[in-house]
């Protein structure tokens, strides 16, 4: 029977970071999982202790460091690696992929293509031709076309504790969405669907920017009024910026947009929030990044979003101001004062 | 009358036919078994319609809507080509539908089936072409004969010139690009040619091109409106055309049309359709393609994979870009376009050309120069991947891949409509980018583009429609200024060509003055009011800004605007 043969096949997860580990465990409730870790030691450790990054691993998860083996065994693969390594990982995986593969990534961030000699510091503006979402990276580097992404308010720690949560599976292909739903959904984990793949990816990036600002507010000791203001202005910024980058307004108002934004902004567990919080406490960006175990995607996103906004001539106020704090030496207090003083009489216009 | 500069004599040699006799041609096989084939189309189209309208109520609603629309069409928009008995047919169907209410469920079910069959079968009959080898041969010879005679008569102005063969069609119609590959692919599998569409002449032109490349006749999707013109109808019928009626948007018709194309492809009949659906009214290279017929290539390929497992025949998609200095219908086309775009008004689906105008045009065309180029693009598989000469699909790194795997889920080829819709969209955007890549820039396009952009730049505050209303007297460009800009843009075209983003005609190289002259002489050459010319002072002026806009549009999409 065809159904059996496909449901016997394991599901691949690439990347044994926090989110990758948790996703592997969630899928393992339904299916066998091959979890790829680059580092042999991690593989060994999971095999011996059934633990990774402090999470207990399901027996259904088999770690491996052999990408070719993983690709040959799995029709469905979830690449969940930081955006800075994403292209490299996909390039390594590419030779083993076939058009029948389905890839659903769980990475938030942009990939940028620069000309020789340019760096993110030197380039003045960035257009959409130079900025890629992760699904676009997959399509550029591989033969796989059935691509999707995971996004939404899913904090790894809460999910690992089996607290209720939800995710959005976005793809142009219904088949991909259904596959994602089948694999991830359980009694504690709801899966929503969305066809606006690029919009969902963009929302995932922009919310990380706003999360840094949320961290700053807390760091300065401000309360809920300020946070409410930030989140709603942040949502507006997400809509404006997201639209010029190719997303749909409806997406930004959904679970993967506002839903995720609120979660991230309220969560001291998130890395981006931590960056903002520590900045407000007077630490230097360099020092903060140095002792963080995983990358705070928001920092890079601010740089890219700011340069995109210059190309498309939109003015994302929060992003702009954060850029000044991170890279131009503005103090957090000044930034906040500036934001509060900025004349904005119109609340939100969506048309 | 000034002598018009022509291109170098074309060195192309003739091509041997890839299949020996007409009896071997798939299109002939189809029409030999026309009756069986149409029954198959009918049966499968009905199956499809039932799948899309599963409940009885849905089906009846659909049929009622069909009758309503057809009767409406008869009232409003009848064409010469429409069969005489149409009003009778549809009013009978209408009565039959009404009578369904008086019948028992069982009887009604049976009657329903009959009605559906009648409608679909009628459509299938109407769509199907009738390829006859004898008329094909005859039509082919007639076209060749007259094309060549006209050409020679015009060029060599001596008595008897009509009967010389000094100039061949090839001097006038330049076929460039991946011709060898196309011939090879037509032997390996089934080819779908998808050309850009600018003029009514395209349908005949492409028929001649296919023949002159030594390929067997293709199945065409040609607009039914062309069959209004009797002389066209004759030639197209005999060249293998099937009819596409753009007035009919009802589900039974569209499904029948799609099934016709789908099954013909599965049976190996090389096909051709204009995926833009209609002639480009703006003069722009097609940006949005109609996905209906395009999707049949994907469905046919998927079915071949299901039925024939690993050694299924492959379907190849070959984009073709046509280029003219001059499009007969340009003034009307651009008028339509501007009306729709500017004032939200709809254009009537009428065609102002009868056989006589066409003959006149052809005569002018062949007596006055003005070449045509046909750029054949590289073959693609139905997923839009490039293929090699043997028909293998290649990924971006040149590795061979198996397109069957795009249709697989869990190790089996599966049917997933939504997935295939998405694939069709991907294929369509791939074709559009190939159009731009293989497009051949003519001197006439370039002068039109440069002049229009320079003028528009002078009035930055006017929107397009305000600008187009400017009196022509206000528009004049100093020749030297124009020349400098022309050279600048031409340089960028060379640049783009080196990057593989566009091609240009050989005549574009050389001294700017000469090329500009060639461009001015050729752009819109037969229009009453010339879109571009030089005045007594030698400066550039226009007599018709709208038509200039049309020819200018040919080069939109390459970001050349930023240079001006």
């Amino acid at each position: 029977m065809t159904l059996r043969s496909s449901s016997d096949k394991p599901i691949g997860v690439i990347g044994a970071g926090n989110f990758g580990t948790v996703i592997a465990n969630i899928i393992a409730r339904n299916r066998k999982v091959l979890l790829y870790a680059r580092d042999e030691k991690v593989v060994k450790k999971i095999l011996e202790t059934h633990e990774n990054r402090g999470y207990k691993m399901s027996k259904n998860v088999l770690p491996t460091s052999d990408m070719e083996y993983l690709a040959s065994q799995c029709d469905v693969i979830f690449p969940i690696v930081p955006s800075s390594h994403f292209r490299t990982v996909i390039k390594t995986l590419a030779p083993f992929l076939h058009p029948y593969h389905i890839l659903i990534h769980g990475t938030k961030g942009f990939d940028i293509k620069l000309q020789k000699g340019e760096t993110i510091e030197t380039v003045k503006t960035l257009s959409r031709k130079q900025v890629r979402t992760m699904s676009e990276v997959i399509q550029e580097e591989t033969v796989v076309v059935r691509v999707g992404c995971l996004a939404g308010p899913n904090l790894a720690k809460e999910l690992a504790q089996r607290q209720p949560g939800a995710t959005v599976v976005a793809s142009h292909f219904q088949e991909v969405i259904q596959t994602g739903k089948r694999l991830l959904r359980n009694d504690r984990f709801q899966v929503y669907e969305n066809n606006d793949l690029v919009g969902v990816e963009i929302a995932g990036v922009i919310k990380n920017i706003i999360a840094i600002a949320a961290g700053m507010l807390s760091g300065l000791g401000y309360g809920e009024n300020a946070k409410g203001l930030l989140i709603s202005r942040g949502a507006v910024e997400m809509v404006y910026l997201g639209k010029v980058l190719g997303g749909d307004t409806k997406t930004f108002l959904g679970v993967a947009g506002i839903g995720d934004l609120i979660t991230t902004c309220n969560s001291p567990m998130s890395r981006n929030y931590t960056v903002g919080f520590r900045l407000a406490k007077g630490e230097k960006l360099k020092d903060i990044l140095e002792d963080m175990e995983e990358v705070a995607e928001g920092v890079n996103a601010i740089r890219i979003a700011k340069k995109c906004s210059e190309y498309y001539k939109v003015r994302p106020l929060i992003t702009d101001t954060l850029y000044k704090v991170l890279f131009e030496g503005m103090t957090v207090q000044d930034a906040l004062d500036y934001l509060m003083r900025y004349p904005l009489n119109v609340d939100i216009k969506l048309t | 009358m000034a002598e018009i500069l022509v291109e170098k004599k074309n060195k192309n040699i003739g091509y041997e036919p890839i299949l020996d006799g007409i009896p071997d041609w798939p299109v002939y096989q189809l029409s030999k078994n026309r009756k069986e084939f149409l029954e198959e189309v009918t049966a499968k189209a009905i199956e499809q319609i039932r799948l899309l309208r599963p409940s009885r109520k849905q089906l009846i609603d659909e049929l009622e809507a069909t009758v309503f629309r057809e009767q409406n069409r008869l009232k409003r928009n009848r064409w010469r080509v429409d069969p005489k008995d149409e009003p009778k047919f549809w009013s009978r169907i209408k009565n039959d539908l009404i009578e369904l209410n008086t019948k028992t469920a069982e009887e009604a079910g049976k009657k329903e089936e009959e009605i559906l069959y009648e409608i679909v079968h009628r459509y299938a009959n109407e769509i199907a072409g009738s390829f006859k080898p004898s008329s094909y041969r005859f039509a082919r010879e007639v076209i060749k004969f007259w094309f060549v005679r006209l050409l020679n008569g015009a060029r060599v102005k001596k008595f008897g010139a009509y009967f010389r063969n000094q100039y061949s069609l090839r001097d006038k119609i330049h076929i460039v690009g991946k011709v060898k590959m196309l011939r090879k692919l037509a032997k390996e599998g089934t080819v779908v040619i998808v050309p850009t569409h600018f003029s009514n002449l395209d349908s005949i032109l492409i028929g001649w091109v296919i023949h002159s490349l030594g390929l067997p006749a293709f199945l065409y999707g040609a607009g039914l409106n062309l069959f209004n013109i009797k002389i066209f109808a004759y030639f197209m019928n005999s060249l293998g055309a099937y009819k596409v009626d753009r007035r009919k948007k009802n589900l039974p018709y569209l499904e029948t049309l799609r099934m016709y194309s789908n099954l013909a492809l599965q049976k190996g009949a090389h096909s051709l359709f204009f995926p833009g659906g209609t002639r480009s009214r703006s003069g722009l290279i097609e940006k949005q393609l109609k996905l209906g017929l395009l999707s049949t290539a994907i469905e046919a390929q998927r079915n071949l994979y299901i039925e024939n497992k690993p050694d299924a025949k492959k379907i190849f998609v070959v984009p073709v870009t046509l280029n003219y200095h001059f499009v007969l219908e340009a003034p009307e086309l651009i008028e339509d376009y501007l009306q729709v775009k500017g004032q939200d008004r709809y254009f009537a689906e009428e065609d102002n050309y009868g056989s006589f105008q066409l003959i006149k045009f052809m005569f002018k065309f062949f007596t006055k120069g003005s070449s045509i180029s046909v750029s054949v693009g590289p073959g693609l598989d139905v997923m839009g991947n490039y293929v090699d000469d043997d028909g293998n699909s290649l990924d971006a790194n040149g590795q061979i891949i198996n397109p069957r795997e795009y249709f697989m889920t869990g190790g089996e080829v599966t049917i997933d409509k939504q997935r295939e819709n998405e694939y069709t969209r991907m294929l369509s955007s791939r074709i559009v980018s190939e159009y731009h890549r293989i497009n051949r820039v003519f001197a006439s396009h370039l002068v039109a583009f440069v002049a229009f952009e320079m003028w528009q730049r002078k009035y930055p505050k006017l929107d397009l429609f305000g600008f187009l209303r400017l009196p022509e007297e206000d528009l004049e460009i100093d020749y030297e200024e124009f020349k400098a800009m022309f050279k600048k843009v031409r340089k960028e075209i060379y640049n783009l060509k080196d990057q593989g983003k566009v091609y240009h005609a050989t005549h574009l190289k050389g001294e700017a003055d000469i090329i500009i002259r060639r461009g001015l002489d050729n752009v819109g050459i037969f229009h009453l009011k010339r879109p571009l010319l030089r005045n007594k002072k030698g400066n550039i002026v226009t007599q018709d800004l709208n038509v200039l806009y049309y020819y200018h549009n040919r080069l939109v999409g390459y970001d050349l605007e930023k240079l001006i």
Side-chain angles (χ1 to χ4, degrees):
Chain A
M1 242 169 67
T2 59
L3 263 178
R4 175 161 309 158
S5 73
S6 71
S7 61
D8 282 349
K9 280 196 160 187
I11 303 301
V13 175
I14 294 186
N18 277 325
F19 193 40
T21 305
V22 170
I23 288 293
N25 267 339
I26 291 178
I27 300 171
R29 295 171 63 85
N30 300 321
R31 292 281 281 276
K32 284 213 177 330
V33 175
L34 280 179
L35 174 64
Y36 171 88
R38 196 177 29 172
D39 193 343
E40 277 290 351
K41 275 183 253 160
V42 175
V43 174
K44 236 176 121 190
K45 193 184 149 214
I46 297 175
L47 279 174
E48 280 166 7
T49 62
H50 294 288
E51 253 186 40
N52 187 36
R53 292 183 172 267
Y55 301 117
K56 200 167 161 25
M57 299 305 290
S58 153
K59 278 190 192 122
N60 264 344
V61 177
L62 189 70
T64 172
S65 59
D66 185 345
M67 234 183 225
E68 183 172 5
Y69 173 73
L70 183 139
S72 70
Q73 295 301 303
C74 308
D75 286 357
V76 182
I77 300 174
F78 289 76
I80 299 174
V81 289
S83 66
S84 47
H85 307 314
F86 197 82
R87 193 179 281 273
T88 323
V89 170
I90 294 295
K91 267 188 174 164
T92 325
L93 180 64
F96 316 125
L97 292 175
H98 289 265
Y100 58 71
H101 276 111
I102 288 179
L103 257 56
I104 305 175
H105 77 81
T107 299
K108 282 158 189 117
F110 285 134
D111 179 273
I112 50 168
K113 261 191 161 172
L114 297 171
Q115 305 228 311
K116 255 201 178 141
E118 280 179 335
T119 65
I120 178 79
E121 279 90 16
T122 61
V123 71
K124 281 227 168 61
T125 62
L126 286 168
S127 83
R128 201 55 177 77
K129 280 186 186 146
Q130 295 150 289
V131 175
R132 296 278 182 281
T133 69
M134 297 301 125
S135 70
E136 288 164 345
V137 172
I138 294 174
Q139 280 163 306
E140 247 171 46
E141 299 290 347
T142 75
V143 292
V144 176
V145 290
R146 282 173 272 176
V147 177
C149 85
L150 289 182
N154 30 44
L155 300 165
K157 273 187 195 141
E158 286 186 12
L159 296 184
Q161 292 159 5
R162 296 255 300 134
Q163 291 193 32
T167 190
V168 171
V169 181
S171 173
H172 299 301
F173 294 94
Q174 206 53 40
E175 180 188 10
V176 175
I177 292 175
Q178 293 313 327
T179 305
K181 272 186 158 175
R182 220 175 28 245
L183 293 174
L184 293 167
R185 181 178 254 168
N186 61 48
D187 53 342
R188 291 295 180 89
F189 196 54
Q190 177 65 258
V191 182
Y192 293 93
E193 45 188 270
N194 194 314
N195 295 317
D196 180 17
L197 174 58
V198 170
V200 166
E201 291 180 297
I202 290 171
V205 178
I206 299 179
K207 68 112 211 254
N208 282 338
I209 298 179
I210 311 298
I212 292 184
M216 285 181 182
L217 286 186
S218 299
L220 290 176
Y222 288 95
E224 299 303 317
N225 280 339
K227 192 175 277 174
L229 183 61
L230 174 80
I231 291 176
S232 58
R233 291 311 309 173
V236 175
E237 189 151 322
M238 186 184 265
V239 171
Y240 286 140
L241 200 53
K243 259 164 76 173
V244 297
L245 295 174
D248 183 357
T249 305
K250 272 186 270 171
T251 302
F252 302 122
L253 299 179
V255 179
I258 289 199
D260 200 5
L261 180 66
I262 294 175
T263 312
T264 318
C265 286
N266 280 313
S267 155
M269 283 187 253
S270 106
R271 291 184 296 274
N272 295 295
Y273 186 97
T274 310
V275 170
F277 189 85
R278 290 173 62 179
L279 276 170
K281 292 287 179 203
E283 287 186 59
K284 288 269 174 300
L285 178 65
K286 212 177 115 234
D287 302 333
I288 302 171
L289 293 182
E290 258 167 23
D291 67 32
M292 285 188 94
E293 211 177 306
E294 287 188 39
V295 213
E297 299 281 3
V299 176
N300 212 25
I302 287 174
R303 258 203 282 231
I304 296 171
K306 151 103 172 145
K307 288 174 185 194
C308 282
S309 71
E310 259 148 41
Y311 182 90
Y312 291 103
K313 304 211 164 49
V314 289
R315 182 94 203 271
L317 203 57
I318 301 172
T319 308
D320 263 8
T321 314
L322 289 175
Y323 185 88
K324 285 185 188 139
V325 174
L326 293 183
F327 305 108
E328 292 175 351
M330 191 187 234
T331 66
V332 175
Q333 189 63 56
D334 285 352
L336 204 78
D337 290 346
Y338 173 74
L339 280 178
M340 291 309 293
R341 272 203 325 269
Y342 195 86
L344 264 182
N345 299 325
V346 182
D347 187 10
I348 180 167
K349 258 201 295 198
L350 281 180
T351 47
Chain B
M1 178 68 55
E3 180 63 32
I4 287 144
L5 297 154
V6 286
E7 291 220 29
K8 283 182 283 194
K9 205 162 159 40
N10 206 333
K11 276 178 282 187
N12 285 351
I13 27 92
Y15 293 99
E16 289 295 311
I18 61 167
L19 283 177
D20 287 338
I22 291 180
D24 301 335
W25 295 3
V27 54
Y28 175 64
Q29 293 298 328
L30 266 193
S31 72
K32 218 174 77 182
N33 305 314
R34 191 173 194 268
K35 220 174 143 213
E36 293 83 6
F37 181 59
L38 288 188
E39 286 303 335
E40 193 182 344
V41 171
T42 309
K44 293 230 163 109
I46 288 176
E47 214 175 277
Q48 192 59 36
I49 294 164
R50 285 200 170 272
L51 213 68
L52 291 168
R53 298 288 177 266
S55 81
R56 275 197 59 193
K57 176 163 183 339
Q58 285 170 319
L59 184 65
I60 302 243
D61 284 352
E62 195 61 59
L63 293 178
E64 278 169 355
T66 301
V67 173
F68 175 75
R69 286 191 189 168
E70 286 289 38
Q71 291 195 318
N72 228 353
R73 172 178 66 81
L74 289 172
K75 261 185 244 156
R76 285 204 190 146
N77 197 1
R78 279 198 84 172
W79 285 350
R80 201 179 332 172
V81 64
D82 291 332
K84 296 274 173 291
D85 68 335
E86 277 210 301
K88 239 171 75 189
F89 175 79
W90 289 111
S91 66
R92 182 172 60 73
I93 295 287
K94 189 179 176 181
N95 286 336
D96 288 352
L97 278 173
I98 292 169
E99 274 171 31
L100 281 183
N101 294 329
T102 63
K103 291 191 188 337
T104 63
E106 200 187 327
E107 279 174 351
K110 232 171 134 193
K111 187 72 194 163
E112 212 177 270
E113 216 142 289
E114 268 175 49
I115 297 173
L116 182 60
Y117 175 87
E118 262 193 285
I119 295 177
V120 172
H121 196 255
R122 185 183 173 89
Y123 282 149
N125 247 311
E126 179 192 297
I127 292 164
S130 53
F131 177 85
K132 290 192 200 81
S134 56
S135 348
Y136 174 79
R137 279 195 214 96
F138 176 69
R140 191 174 71 190
E141 289 313 308
V142 168
I143 292 176
K144 216 160 71 176
F145 180 85
W146 282 108
F147 274 21
V148 175
R149 283 316 75 113
L150 281 168
L151 198 60
N152 281 287
R155 283 309 156 80
V156 189
K157 296 194 173 77
K158 274 186 198 154
F159 180 74
Y162 268 95
F163 302 97
R164 290 208 190 103
N165 286 332
Q166 189 169 348
Y167 286 90
S168 75
L169 261 186
R170 281 292 173 66
D171 294 323
K172 202 105 207 210
I173 302 173
H174 299 249
I175 305 173
V176 297
K178 301 277 186 190
V179 170
K180 265 194 202 146
M181 183 186 215
L182 171 58
R183 283 166 54 84
K184 187 105 192 289
L185 294 179
K187 278 188 251 180
E188 301 280 336
T190 310
V191 170
V192 182
I193 291 186
V194 284
T196 55
H197 196 4
F198 292 96
S199 161
N200 275 333
L201 195 67
D202 296 344
S203 296
I204 297 256
L205 172 71
I206 207 90
W208 177 81
V209 168
I210 285 167
H211 159 68
S212 84
L213 294 181
L215 300 173
F218 273 47
L219 272 189
Y220 276 55
L224 187 64
N225 53 328
L226 284 181
F227 288 78
N228 279 327
I229 306 168
K230 279 195 180 143
I231 193 165
F232 263 46
Y234 174 79
F235 284 122
M236 288 197 305
N237 263 325
S238 28
L239 295 175
Y242 63 88
K243 303 174 193 94
V244 179
D245 188 346
R246 284 198 304 273
R247 293 169 304 172
K248 300 191 180 105
K249 307 267 189 220
N250 62 69
L251 181 85
Y253 179 77
L254 295 177
E255 286 307 319
T256 313
L257 180 62
R258 280 162 38 78
M259 195 49 78
Y260 183 86
S261 164
N262 180 340
L263 289 177
L265 282 171
Q266 286 191 50
K267 293 185 190 303
H270 305 306
S271 299
L272 179 150
F273 35 79
F274 294 106
T278 162
R279 290 163 294 167
S280 163
R281 290 193 147 65
S282 57
L284 289 164
I285 294 178
E286 281 85 345
K287 267 190 296 199
Q288 294 263 306
L289 305 185
K290 298 270 179 204
L291 304 179
L293 279 177
L294 218 50
S295 67
T296 62
I298 289 173
E299 284 166 16
Q301 181 72 79
R302 174 249 294 154
N303 271 359
L304 288 170
Y305 281 136
I306 289 180
E307 279 163 24
N308 303 307
K309 301 281 151 98
D311 40 46
K313 258 198 161 189
K314 251 172 113 167
I315 295 174
F316 302 107
V317 178
V318 179
V320 167
T321 302
L322 304 174
N323 278 304
Y324 301 95
H325 282 301
F326 169 81
V327 174
L328 172 72
E329 311 99 304
E332 285 84 12
L333 290 174
I334 192 68
E335 188 68 19
D336 280 354
Y337 172 76
L338 293 172
Q339 267 186 19
V340 171
K341 194 152 186 233
Q343 299 158 26
D344 250 0
R345 259 194 353 205
Y346 242 61
F347 53 85
E349 282 186 54
E350 269 178 55
D351 265 281
N352 302 323
Y353 294 91
S355 307
F356 181 65
Q357 278 94 333
L358 264 159
I359 291 171
K360 224 167 72 180
F361 164 67
M362 300 274 248
F363 187 78
K364 270 188 174 176
F365 175 80
F366 285 105
T367 54
K368 288 207 181 159
S370 207
S371 52
I372 294 178
S373 107
V374 178
S375 322
V376 179
L380 308 170
D381 65 19
V382 293
M383 292 299 300
N385 296 304
Y386 285 128
V387 299
D388 64 14
D389 282 340
D390 300 319
N392 297 307
S393 301
L394 305 174
D395 71 7
N397 300 317
Q399 304 292 317
I400 292 179
I401 47 174
N402 184 359
R404 187 168 187 261
E405 293 177 347
Y406 288 105
F407 298 94
M408 291 185 6
T409 312
E412 295 277 322
V413 176
T414 52
I415 302 175
D416 182 331
K417 285 264 166 210
Q418 197 271 336
R419 172 169 78 200
E420 287 172 16
N421 287 344
E422 211 48 54
Y423 285 176
T424 310
R425 244 186 294 282
M426 289 163 54
L427 174 62
S428 133
S429 76
R430 192 55 210 275
I431 291 172
V432 169
S433 77
E434 282 299 308
Y435 282 162
H436 284 83
R437 233 174 49 73
I438 62 176
N439 183 23
R440 267 179 116 217
V441 180
F442 281 13
S444 61
H445 305 147
L446 193 51
V447 290
F449 182 84
V450 172
F452 189 86
E453 287 292 326
M454 284 178 82
W455 276 321
Q456 207 176 8
R457 200 50 45 103
K458 276 192 188 166
Y459 299 94
K461 289 211 175 116
L462 294 179
D463 70 349
L464 176 67
F465 294 93
F467 171 67
L468 288 176
R469 274 196 298 272
L470 281 178
E472 267 97 46
E473 304 87 78
D474 289 3
L475 300 170
E476 185 173 337
I477 308 173
D478 174 69
Y479 181 75
E480 289 304 320
E481 221 178 289
F482 177 81
K483 187 168 132 189
M485 193 56 83
F486 177 88
K487 280 165 103 171
K488 191 172 161 194
V489 180
R490 184 173 68 165
K491 205 168 155 207
E492 176 64 16
I493 294 200
Y494 293 160
N495 208 345
L496 289 173
K497 190 194 168 208
D498 291 341
Q499 297 170 36
K501 290 181 178 163
V502 74
Y503 283 87
H504 59 75
T506 45
H507 75 233
L508 203 68
K509 287 237 179 196
E511 213 188 309
D513 288 305
I514 299 176
I515 312 306
I516 292 175
R517 183 170 157 220
R518 169 171 296 155
L520 293 175
D521 283 344
N522 279 299
V523 61
I525 179 169
F526 310 125
H527 296 311
L528 218 51
K529 294 202 276 178
R530 297 290 293 270
L532 215 56
L533 63 173
R534 291 178 75 172
N535 63 9
K536 284 199 184 112
K537 286 187 278 176
N539 290 339
I540 307 285
V541 293
T542 179
Q543 293 176 336
D544 190 336
L545 205 49
N546 285 2
V547 173
L548 182 67
Y549 176 59
Y550 173 90
Y551 289 108
H552 144 277
N553 279 344
R554 203 61 225 254
L555 287 184
V556 169
Y558 295 98
D559 270 351
L560 296 168
E561 297 82 0
K562 63 174 198 280
L563 293 172
I564 295 172

